[in-house]
Amino acid sequence: MKNEFYITTTLPYVNAAPHIGFASEIVLADVRARFERLQGKEVIFNTGTDEHGSKIWQKAQEERMDTQAYVDSYAAKFDELKEMLELSYTNFIRTTDENHKKAAQELWKRVDANGYIYKKQYRIKYCVGCELEKTDSELIDGFCPLHPGKELEIIEEENYFFKFSALQEKLLKLYRSNPEFVVPNKKFNEIKSFVEMGLEDFSISRLKSKMPWGVPVQNDDTQVMYVWFDALTNYISTLGWPDNQENFQNFWGTVESPNAIQIAGKDNLRQQSAMWQAMLLAADLPTSKKVFINGFIGVDGQKMSKSIGNVISPAEMVERFGIDGTRYLLITKGTFGEDNDISWEKMITKYNADLANGLGNLTSRVVKLSENLNLEIEKKDVIFEENNIRLMENFDVDKVLENIWLIVREDNKYIEDTKPWELAKKDEVKFNKVMEKLINDLNLISEMLIPFMPETSEKIKKALKTKERVILFERIK
RNA sequence: CGCGGGGUAGAGCAGUUUGGCAGCUCGUCUGGCUCAUAACCAGGAGGUCGCAGGUUCAAAUCCUGCCCCCGCAACCA
């Protein structure tokens, strides 16, 4: 059994503050990383920031900031999530890091050496009104929707292209031989049919004269890499590839035995499970082992957006629910892979029901009842049983929490049925026996909570030991 | 005939792969308890599983048609 575990989130693009969708992705990855550590694995958990590309460059220009200073400030904002959500990532890669740029250039070189890169004239449609490039899908009747009637300029530009089309068969073979390559299955079907329909080569460079903010293309001063080609490389540059082969093989894996787990939002299905895999195949590198695709979070039945004004930030959640409350709510928002709908109202209800009234109140009851006892806590060898391990490995983490909460309910009922506060006065033997079960159950709960709510897990253990009254989660409103 | 997802109790969701008494949380009603964070426990009410056909001993689940909602439509991170 391989002892090294590698998991990575996608790298958020630094043109906006961290939002809750990414927070949910990274918390899920964190739960998995902590779980694997508990199982005795050596874990590399990667995240970071994607910092190149025209949008960032333009934004920095608008704000009259030095581009590097601009991305530095955003990278810091994302790194703040580590403390804010008590994340345990081991690597934080920035695509402006020197070693990353070198890795991206090396990957380019290998893909090129294998004949998957070529140069061609590329025609773009440019709206003078917006001063922006437009794709056909953005146009209505051939005009920019914001400037109807204004003719679009056709600009010819020479760019490098990636022969995505030539990798269709290899990708399909990868999918065929790994029936769970993308989870959930419906997302896998979607990407399979996308690849089956045929692939179009895509441009992987930009003219430096128009947009200098990118990794330079070697041996061609006029071009920089298109942001996706550069950004995707982070998953291996973070491991020290190409220099550190040992680290790379241990964690990313080998062609025979890939080892890397990726988690991404559904907007990244194509990039992660097709484009990136094709790039790896084109360079004769091992592919990922599995790509987990998460759904989107909606608020009150609507898409989260600035114009609607319903954006919820992780910082706001932490302010209201605390770190572990926020982690709990993000993990239990719904089935992995589905779109989930949240609202403040629903979150407060769930927080009060599960955390304050459920786990928190049970802890208070047990701690108070055990005040004058000194019982030995049983050491459990097995914390997670087979079926929970399977659920964890499939990112059905909300179901594992449901299983933990079954114990919470069972114990509340058990207290009701056995009435330990009465037993304490008249039947010490029985009282001890009842309390033994309750204390051991609560201890088991605290062990199982380590990957999900590390701080709460500690608090419960401490309360069981010191018998000091503890409010784990204050009721809201 | 562009692609995909969804329509299950007042609300939010699971169950559909592999057909077998329709389940969970919240809310609501009634009762109980007092160790506990006005928390906890028991019981009840509440659903023609979007609509119409079909297959089957049996359909939320499989097949056909239709209606409604929501995303995406490739170089947009």
Side-chain angles (χ1 to χ4, degrees):
Chain A
M1 185 82 178
K2 195 165 169 57
N3 199 45
E4 290 89 0
F5 182 81
Y6 176 93
I7 186 164
T8 182
T9 66
T10 52
L11 296 197
Y13 199 58
V14 292
N15 63 346
H19 76 99
I20 204 181
F22 178 67
S24 130
E25 175 180 326
I26 199 165
V27 165
L28 287 170
D30 185 62
V31 169
R32 181 70 188 275
R34 287 175 186 272
F35 173 76
E36 296 295 337
R37 280 189 204 106
L38 274 186
Q39 304 297 108
K41 298 272 177 74
E42 188 187 342
V43 172
I44 286 187
F45 168 15
N46 180 59
T47 189
T49 41
D50 178 4
E51 307 182 357
H52 287 127
S54 59
K55 281 201 176 161
I56 286 166
W57 189 65
Q58 282 163 5
K59 254 207 150 150
Q61 302 277 303
E62 278 166 30
E63 298 185 17
R64 290 163 201 268
M65 275 181 85
D66 172 62
T67 318
Q68 187 63 50
Y70 175 83
V71 295
D72 284 350
S73 72
Y74 267 105
K77 266 189 211 170
F78 278 89
D79 205 12
E80 276 170 18
L81 286 178
K82 187 168 197 174
E83 215 171 304
M84 189 187 290
L85 295 168
E86 209 173 337
L87 303 170
S88 66
Y89 53 79
T90 55
N91 293 29
F92 189 91
I93 181 97
R94 298 181 54 186
T95 58
T96 50
D97 288 345
E98 274 316 308
N99 71 315
H100 168 79
K101 290 193 229 171
K102 268 163 58 190
Q105 287 172 332
E106 177 63 24
L107 184 67
W108 179 293
K109 204 167 121 193
R110 295 201 190 185
V111 173
D112 190 25
N114 285 341
Y116 288 104
I117 292 179
Y118 64 96
K119 213 171 184 184
K120 83 163 185 192
Q121 285 289 321
Y122 172 49
R123 305 172 58 145
I124 56 167
K125 293 178 179 151
Y126 195 83
C127 172
V128 187
C130 303
E131 295 288 353
L132 275 179
E133 196 180 318
K134 297 279 164 182
T135 60
D136 283 337
S137 59
E138 288 176 303
L139 304 178
I140 295 171
D141 300 326
F143 288 103
C144 167
L146 298 173
H147 301 92
K150 209 165 221 168
E151 282 296 329
L152 289 148
E153 252 179 64
I154 306 289
I155 298 176
E156 296 239 334
E157 179 175 326
E158 194 171 43
N159 287 153
Y160 288 98
F161 274 72
F162 175 57
K163 267 192 203 168
F164 197 28
S165 58
L167 289 142
Q168 183 184 22
E169 258 320 303
K170 280 193 174 178
L171 275 176
L172 290 174
K173 199 179 147 210
L174 168 71
Y175 298 158
R176 271 195 303 270
S177 44
N178 295 281
E180 289 191 349
F181 185 70
V182 177
V183 176
N185 205 261
K186 45 185 146 191
K187 293 295 168 206
F188 197 17
N189 289 336
E190 197 177 326
I191 197 65
K192 271 192 259 186
S193 64
F194 168 74
V195 175
E196 274 161 11
M197 280 189 300
L199 301 172
E200 269 181 38
D201 298 348
F202 58 89
S203 135
I204 50 171
S205 74
R206 291 290 184 270
L207 262 187
K208 200 175 186 174
S209 56
K210 289 206 300 205
M211 207 295 289
W213 191 244
V215 179
V217 173
Q218 283 179 312
N219 306 321
D220 189 339
D221 295 342
T222 67
Q223 305 269 337
V224 296
M225 286 184 199
Y226 173 57
V227 61
W228 274 112
F229 192 94
D230 142 37
L232 290 166
T233 315
N234 90 83
Y235 305 131
I236 60 176
S237 70
T238 193
L239 293 169
W241 183 88
D243 300 332
N244 193 340
Q245 275 302 312
E246 196 192 336
N247 209 34
F248 178 72
Q249 284 180 12
N250 282 340
F251 288 94
W252 187 262
T254 57
V255 171
E256 297 73 37
S257 173
N259 192 51
I261 303 288
Q262 290 191 237
I263 180 168
K266 70 175 186 181
D267 55 334
N268 261 268
L269 175 66
R270 281 175 195 171
Q271 291 86 333
Q272 306 302 332
S273 51
M275 282 164 62
W276 168 231
Q277 306 306 325
M279 284 162 57
L280 289 163
L281 289 167
D284 294 320
L285 289 170
T287 63
S288 307
K289 182 181 182 186
K290 243 182 193 193
V291 181
F292 288 90
I293 299 293
N294 201 2
F296 277 172
I297 299 178
V299 176
D300 289 317
Q302 287 176 302
K303 199 173 164 173
M304 208 178 349
S305 86
K306 279 184 194 158
S307 51
I308 301 172
N310 61 353
V311 175
I312 293 177
S313 78
E316 285 174 289
M317 281 185 72
V318 171
E319 202 177 303
R320 272 179 115 150
F321 305 118
I323 294 173
D324 280 355
T326 301
R327 288 174 64 102
Y328 181 82
L329 291 169
L330 288 176
I331 296 162
T332 58
K333 66 190 180 350
T335 305
F336 180 85
E338 300 289 331
D339 287 353
N340 303 133
D341 193 63
I342 61 166
S343 69
W344 284 113
E345 200 191 335
K346 277 191 281 185
M347 287 193 290
I348 289 169
T349 302
K350 195 161 177 59
Y351 172 94
N352 280 335
D354 296 357
L355 297 179
N357 302 350
L359 180 64
N361 185 47
L362 177 70
T363 303
S364 292
R365 299 178 87 179
V366 174
V367 168
K368 174 76 194 207
L369 286 166
S370 68
E371 224 167 21
N372 301 313
L373 287 173
N374 229 330
L375 295 171
E376 197 69 13
I377 295 173
E378 183 190 340
K379 274 256 182 300
K380 278 248 179 191
D381 296 332
V382 179
I383 302 297
F384 288 95
E385 283 168 5
E386 199 78 22
N387 105 67
N388 280 328
I389 291 176
R390 252 204 327 274
L391 291 170
M392 287 300 286
E393 289 177 348
N394 213 34
F395 273 93
D396 286 322
V397 286
D398 57 312
K399 306 229 164 35
V400 178
L401 281 174
E402 262 173 42
N403 287 335
I404 299 175
W405 255 255
L406 286 179
I407 309 176
V408 173
R409 291 206 179 82
E410 183 196 308
D411 284 355
N412 267 326
K413 182 170 161 49
Y414 185 70
I415 294 176
E416 212 64 35
D417 293 347
T418 54
K419 301 193 194 328
W421 58 91
E422 281 179 16
L423 292 177
K425 291 178 213 154
K426 57 186 191 194
D427 189 341
E428 201 183 329
V429 178
K430 221 168 170 186
F431 175 63
N432 285 356
K433 212 165 167 201
V434 166
M435 289 313 297
E436 206 176 320
K437 173 187 161 55
L438 290 172
I439 288 168
N440 281 322
D441 276 0
L442 195 55
N443 185 57
L444 176 65
I445 290 170
S446 75
E447 296 282 341
M448 292 181 85
L449 285 179
I450 291 173
F452 304 94
M453 298 191 275
E455 205 183 321
T456 300
S457 166
E458 279 306 313
K459 282 187 188 165
I460 294 174
K461 278 185 204 164
K462 192 176 156 219
L464 282 175
K465 207 183 279 172
T466 63
K467 288 154 191 122
E468 270 168 33
R469 200 180 112 95
V470 62
I471 302 285
L472 293 179
F473 301 96
E474 200 83 49
R475 266 183 75 85
I476 293 179
K477 126 183 129 169

